[in-house]
Amino acid sequence: MLRAQTKARLAATGLRFGIAAAKYNPEFADALVANCLTELGGKATVVRVPGTFEVTAAAAKLAKSGKFDCVIALGILLQGQTSHAEHIASAVAHGLTQISILTGVPTIFGIVTANSLQQARVRCLGKNYNRGREAARTAIEMARTWKSL
């Protein structure tokens, strides 16, 4: 179930963010990036890659660079008639977890997995449940938490 997001904005001041984002399904992917950047105050390094599967490699490169307090992975997977999207989502989730563990840099899973175009619109283009903004807020909180440890 989706929860409406609060309007409170966490301060990203003094934090450095890297965003690894897919280009595939540009209507949705571009909206995720735009909303994430807006929430971060427009300050992040963005690397665009062909698809969601490639996001993991780009996120790893960003995390290993030592330049970022947190890395955000953004993309959209639309469920089709086969299990392809499920396999990609699983691989990306495991890969992003490994990046966080092995580099010590929090890596945020901002990959939308939708069963329909309607679900994708709500999660990527919607005002109340936008996953790009949600990923940015999570990134700010994780970066602050890591700095306090």
Side-chain angles (χ1 to χ4, degrees):
M1 183 169 104
L2 293 174
R3 293 181 303 159
Q5 297 173 354
T6 63
K7 294 187 181 193
R9 188 181 211 179
L10 297 168
T13 307
L15 298 172
R16 300 163 302 153
F17 298 96
I19 298 174
K23 295 178 193 175
Y24 199 75
N25 288 309
E27 174 186 9
F28 303 121
D30 294 351
L32 288 170
V33 172
N35 281 284
C36 186
L37 283 170
T38 297
E39 197 67 26
L40 295 174
K43 299 189 180 195
T45 297
V46 180
V47 175
R48 298 300 295 263
V49 295
T52 299
F53 186 77
E54 293 77 25
V55 165
T56 307
K61 189 83 168 168
L62 290 169
K64 289 177 184 178
S65 74
K67 297 177 183 177
F68 305 104
D69 297 306
C70 191
V71 172
I72 304 165
L74 299 173
I76 173 84
L77 289 167
L78 291 170
Q79 184 60 50
Q81 295 180 348
T82 68
S83 59
H84 179 75
E86 293 171 38
H87 294 294
I88 299 297
S90 179
V92 171
H94 290 292
L96 295 175
T97 300
Q98 288 300 307
I99 292 166
S100 290
I101 292 167
L102 295 175
T103 66
V105 176
T107 306
I108 307 307
F109 185 85
I111 307 299
V112 173
T113 55
N115 291 319
S116 67
L117 286 172
Q118 180 182 357
Q119 286 181 353
R121 282 185 197 100
V122 168
R123 287 157 178 80
C124 299
L125 306 175
K127 293 181 181 177
N128 294 324
Y129 307 109
N130 188 279
R131 296 300 191 215
R133 286 194 313 266
E134 183 178 284
R137 290 173 182 166
T138 301
I140 294 167
E141 187 172 348
M142 288 299 289
R144 294 229 175 275
T145 299
W146 253 237
K147 283 190 172 284
S148 72
L149 295 176

